[in-house]
Amino acid sequence: MSKVPAAPKGTRPNGRRLWVDVLSNFDLDEHETALLREAVRTVDALDALDDVVRRDGVMTTTDLGAPRVHPALVEARQLKLALARLLAALRMPAGDDEPGSRPQRRGAPRGTYA
């Protein structure tokens, strides 16, 4: 395989690992590389949010003193959904597929229309 291109500038370690792992195992088209770039940014954002929650704790308080879940956890939940969709769009194998294979998705993400 050809040399893996450098990860996007400013990529954190987990994002860089994802970048190298995917590109060292698969040849991506340009549109797929764009999806991978967004997945890497999402992984990096999740790491940054994790840092915030580890620093501040899972719970915060409102201006009135009422406890509430840290907003970073709410954002992380949304980013995890986005990451799952980005990776699904790349058709990454689950690990039990043949190495180098990327099975074709069938139908739309929400099913087919009649």
Side-chain angles (χ1 to χ4, degrees), residues 73-97:
L73 286 176
V74 176
E75 183 63 22
R77 180 178 55 218
Q78 295 300 316
L79 284 176
K80 287 176 185 177
L81 291 170
L83 178 60
R85 289 178 179 154
L86 287 165
L87 295 176
L90 283 171
R91 300 181 330 245
M92 294 288 102
D96 53 354
D97 296 325

Side-chain angles (χ1 to χ4, degrees), residues 8-53:
K9 188 175 182 177
T11 301
R12 295 171 64 142
N14 285 334
R16 191 172 10 266
R17 256 191 306 278
L18 175 63
W19 179 266
V20 170
D21 185 48
V22 171
L23 290 179
S24 64
N25 289 299
F26 301 102
D27 292 322
L28 301 183
D29 292 332
E30 188 60 34
H31 70 281
E32 294 168 321
T33 303
L35 289 171
L36 177 60
R37 192 174 300 112
E38 288 306 312
V40 165
R41 288 181 180 142
T42 303
V43 166
D44 287 346
L46 283 165
D47 286 345
L49 290 170
D50 185 58
D51 292 345
V52 170
V53 171

